Amino acid sequence: MSFRTTADYVEDVSPGSGALPPRARYAASDAKSLSLNGSWRFRLSATADAEDDTFAEPGHDTGDWAEVTVPGHWVLQGHGAPIYTNHLYPFPVDPPRVPTENPTGDHVRVFDLPADWPADGGAVLRFDGVESCARVWLNGTDIGEFKGSRLPHEFAVGHLLRPAGNVLAVRVHQWSAGSYLEDQDQWWLPGIFRDVTLLHRPPGCVLDFFVHASYDHVSGEGTLRVDSDTDGRVTVPELSLDLATGESATVPVEPWTAETPRLYDGVLATEGERVPLRIGFRTVELSDGLVKVNGKAVLFKGVNRHEWHPERGRALDVETMREDVLLMKRHNINAVRTSHYPPHPAFLDLCDELGLWVIDECDLETHGFTEQAWRDNPVDDDRWTPALLDRAARMVERDKNHPSVVMWSLGNEAGTGRGLTAMAEWIRGRDSSRLIHYEGDIDCRDTDVYSRMYAAHAEVERIGRGLDGGTHKRRELPFIQCEYAHAMGNGPGGLADYQRLFEAYDRLQGGFVWEWIDHGIRHPDLGYAYGGDFGEELHDGNFVCDGLLFPDRTPSPGLAEYKKVIEPVGFDGDGPAGTVRITNKQDFADLSALAFEWSYQVEGETTESGSLAVPALAPGASAEVKLPEPPAPHPDGGETQWTVRALLAADTAWAPRGHVVAWGQFPVTARQAPAVAATARPVRGADRITLGPAAFDARTGALLSVGAVEVRDLRLDVWRAPTDNDNGASWQDDVRHGPLWRTLGLHRMRHRLDAVEAAGDALTVRTRVAPAAWEFGLATVYRWTSDGTRLRLTVSVAPEGDWTVPLPRLGVRFALPAADEVRWFGGGPGEAYPDIRAASLTGRWRSTVDALQTPYVRPQENGARAGVRWAELGGLRVEGDPEFWLTARRWTTEQLDAARHLTDLTPGDAVWVNLDHGQHGIGSQSCGPGPLPRYVLRAEPAEFSFVFTELG
């Protein structure tokens, strides 16, 4: 064997040597296989050549080595530390050179062949994913090396196998020339993180094969042809098909779509092997300037999905992948972009089975070259083209038999160049049945769709109307937002506004929210760690926590909002008339799978309910449905409304019967504002003023109590702990409100007392609220009145000076003694903000104070409930005129603002309550646009009231 002590292959731009040509992956066959997952011996070195190759020899003593689990990343198993960067390379940019300091993990697995392992034929050793460069030995023989972390590599090893004591040795380098092609926004995590499998290859076995299963939407027929490197037969019993490979047949079929994922079970049988097939008939085309499947335009309601687990990183198990797909389906998501690499192959099996459109993306990103204006970018350097073509081929060949895959993506944020053109040409030559995507191709030279990231609403509308510029080819193509609505922290805002545009213009074929899950790493002291928490010199903080799921896969409020915004049934009702127009927003399926129900609420409580007969509307069709006669009016008047829901009529593969798919609410009678007659008069004592049930400090006019309930520090509040979207992205030219608010001192407002007037039927406190160092402020008047039992506060606010920024919030804040339960009538059950409130369902709700909090990985403003009519907590009932935003916490906004992790927040002895007249919108400026103008909370004259009553 070789005793090399150098590792020149690490910096070689070639994809590697020794691997077999890429081929289709299949999940099972009747040939034997042996999983080599499990516990491996492990040794970590600081450099690529610190140790020689003798560790690969049979008999080498690894008894004192550590152990790691494969699939896995060694930096998540106690060896070294992960690194997070968004796009900057964490090593000097000098392609293809990498640092001498190059963590290198030697892995050894000793295995025996099963007793029934066949003696005839060969064997293939398959690696499904290794980051970023690996060299492999079996029984002391060097069989090759490879790069392409998220791609499969196979080696012929049958001639090297022994019945027992086989020694598989793998040397994995964290950095290699391949790292320059893998600069995706994610943690850098070296290791063997996908399956390692030994496959028996009997004589006459299946090699590569390509299932061609098209659908003619005019005739309703499907055409099947399976091309195979090994002659054989294809049988599909349900279709009575028995074909030779390479032979075509056309028969009536039910087509595959993401809404109706019809699969036919078949078998490819060669002389030596039988491989199960799951066949979906569908045709993808670019027609009339639109992406069409089976003759119909598709509206993508998608997400970008990185592979992530908070403890195992990108080493996902099938159960976690299934959980992801089930959550997507239950939240009305119909599409996935596999950002920014092909996923574990089992994920695509699930997309086929359960129904998701897939943009399958190549393992290619060179984003860090933006720092040098794309100079020396590998995708425009012919030396790297073989590596690019290898990556494209390994993606296409592995995944070509999945009906869920409707587009191939060349990669992400890799600039432009000849290498990308070569990839596109190769893919088109190999597979003409799918379209090609790449966002960076702004002129659409190599692509079939015009794709953008984070285009603002106004620009999206211009594109929809055909008023954008660009090449003639681009103007004729459909538009997709491959990334939009950056879901970092509290947000994303503006989803409903985007969706209205997507549904209004045919050219706009939807988009993919960035992204699916927060990449927080579970940490014993911090809860979840993000960039910088492992001592990285260069990092991008919590930018890696930008998902619709929290790291533990709990849905965020943003996912609830997205579900509502993209729901497949539309409701447009006339509450007083008792009618609702129902629209089927699906592309392919009718409404026969859904059942509908109505309910009638009085003051937020359901008084009657029943089923609603709705026709099985075809896609795009609408019908006006009459609701029952409403109940007799409530004797005390009161607010009333209808709620209509669409639910699954039967169990499905992704959710049980009764799962709520869509809903709508329609007011019937309006709310009556609370009225308090000012019959009590303020009475001044030595140190207190009393007014009805309330006591005030005689000098300052500060509220002290309402009945027996202590109240402290009630005053105007305009500050919120800035969200990630408030803070914005550092590279953006637009105004970033969070930093500007802080610069202008809105987090440290001063409250000047001007007058306390106890006269007539009111106690009036006049103040001025303003930041130090600036001349602008808010003249604020608190006017208190009472009918002897209830206490009314009217707050009048008048801006003074030149306010050049919106307000974060506008309302009052105060502290109550420790309380637990909160009840309210208004929006719920989850949080909402002005541009994130589509999912806020009006009703009566109950929660604990702790459950009101949203556990964003980096603490920030959260937990507001919208449209609150009244709330009860801490012994008080509060009614609003008009409706208000309710927030309650066991810590102050200042403490929330100072926290970096949830573990920094310690409950105090009080509950801090915010009753807000207004909240500034959220937007998605952590990477996208800020809030639309209509969601901006401007500093304008305002007046609002609250009525306080002690609960008996």
Side-chain angles (χ1 to χ4, degrees), residues 36-243:
L36 298 178
N37 296 346
S39 180
W40 290 50
R41 290 291 183 176
F42 176 78
R43 175 182 67 187
L44 181 63
S45 303
T47 64
D49 56 1
E51 302 284 349
D52 62 27
D53 301 347
T54 56
F55 81 101
E57 283 279 11
H60 185 89
D61 185 6
T62 60
D64 60 346
W65 287 24
E67 292 189 13
V68 294
T69 297
V70 170
H73 306 278
W74 70 68
V75 292
L76 298 183
Q77 300 184 58
H79 306 279
I83 300 169
Y84 168 60
T85 60
N86 167 27
H87 76 278
L88 296 175
Y89 290 105
F91 48 80
V93 179
D94 183 22
R97 305 298 301 279
V98 295
T100 300
E101 298 82 10
N102 187 357
T104 294
D106 290 334
H107 300 68
V108 173
R109 173 81 148 85
V110 179
F111 65 94
D112 299 335
L113 294 179
D116 59 351
W117 191 268
D120 62 337
V124 164
L125 178 65
R126 183 173 69 213
F127 295 88
D128 278 310
V130 182
E131 183 175 332
S132 73
C133 173
R135 192 168 198 94
V136 185
W137 295 262
L138 181 62
N139 292 328
T141 298
D142 182 349
I143 60 175
E145 84 282 343
F146 62 90
K147 308 176 190 76
S149 298
R150 270 69 71 172
L151 296 162
H153 294 82
E154 294 183 329
F155 298 88
V157 296
H159 60 295
L160 300 174
L161 289 173
R162 303 170 180 174
N166 292 281
V167 178
L168 175 58
V170 185
R171 173 163 285 171
V172 180
H173 308 281
Q174 174 156 20
W175 310 123
S176 70
S179 301
Y180 284 98
L181 304 180
E182 296 172 3
D183 190 26
Q184 294 98 340
D185 175 10
Q186 61 182 353
W187 295 94
W188 298 88
L189 299 174
I192 306 172
F193 68 95
R194 286 186 185 161
D195 306 288
V196 182
T197 313
L198 183 68
L199 303 170
H200 177 236
R201 301 284 76 211
C205 66
V206 172
L207 298 175
D208 191 21
F209 65 96
F210 197 161
V211 177
H212 303 274
S214 61
Y215 179 72
D216 185 331
H217 65 278
V218 176
S219 68
E221 294 177 316
T223 299
L224 176 66
R225 186 184 82 249
V226 178
D227 295 332
S228 174
D229 286 358
T230 306
D231 290 341
R233 298 199 68 81
V234 176
T235 54
V236 187
E238 191 174 355
L239 297 176
S240 301
L241 291 179
D242 186 344
L243 308 171

Side-chain angles (χ1 to χ4, degrees), residues 709-710 816-822 872-876 951:
V709 179
E710 178 187 350
L816 293 175
D820 187 28
E821 186 175 75
V822 184
E872 295 177 348
L873 74 163
L876 281 186
L951 293 172

Side-chain angles (χ1 to χ4, degrees), residues 777-839:
L778 300 169
T780 305
V781 178
Y782 308 91
R783 187 173 188 271
W784 300 91
T785 58
S786 176
D787 62 3
T789 302
R790 295 179 296 169
L791 179 70
R792 183 183 187 97
L793 166 64
T794 299
V795 182
S796 301
V797 179
E800 297 178 340
D802 185 14
W803 278 87
T804 59
V805 295
L807 296 172
R809 69 178 347 130
L810 181 66
V812 296
R813 179 177 82 163
F814 56 90
L816 293 175
D820 187 28
E821 186 175 75
V822 184
R823 298 177 63 247
W824 75 97
F825 172 26
E831 74 179 24
Y833 289 84
D835 52 350
I836 319 176
R837 61 182 302 180

Side-chain angles (χ1 to χ4, degrees), residues 600-640:
Y600 189 77
Q601 288 83 39
V602 177
E603 290 291 297
E605 289 192 310
T606 296
T607 58
E608 293 191 34
S609 62
S611 61
L612 187 66
V614 176
L617 298 169
S622 298
E624 190 168 280
V625 178
K626 183 67 176 174
L627 294 166
E629 288 297 317
H634 193 274
D636 299 328
E639 182 178 356
T640 59

Side-chain angles (χ1 to χ4, degrees), residues 37 81 83 148 191 331 333 379 466 491 514 547 683 698 722 726 791 884 903 918:
N37 296 346
I83 300 169
H331 288 85
I333 289 163
V379 304
W514 185 268
V683 177
D726 289 336
L791 179 70
F884 60 96
T903 50

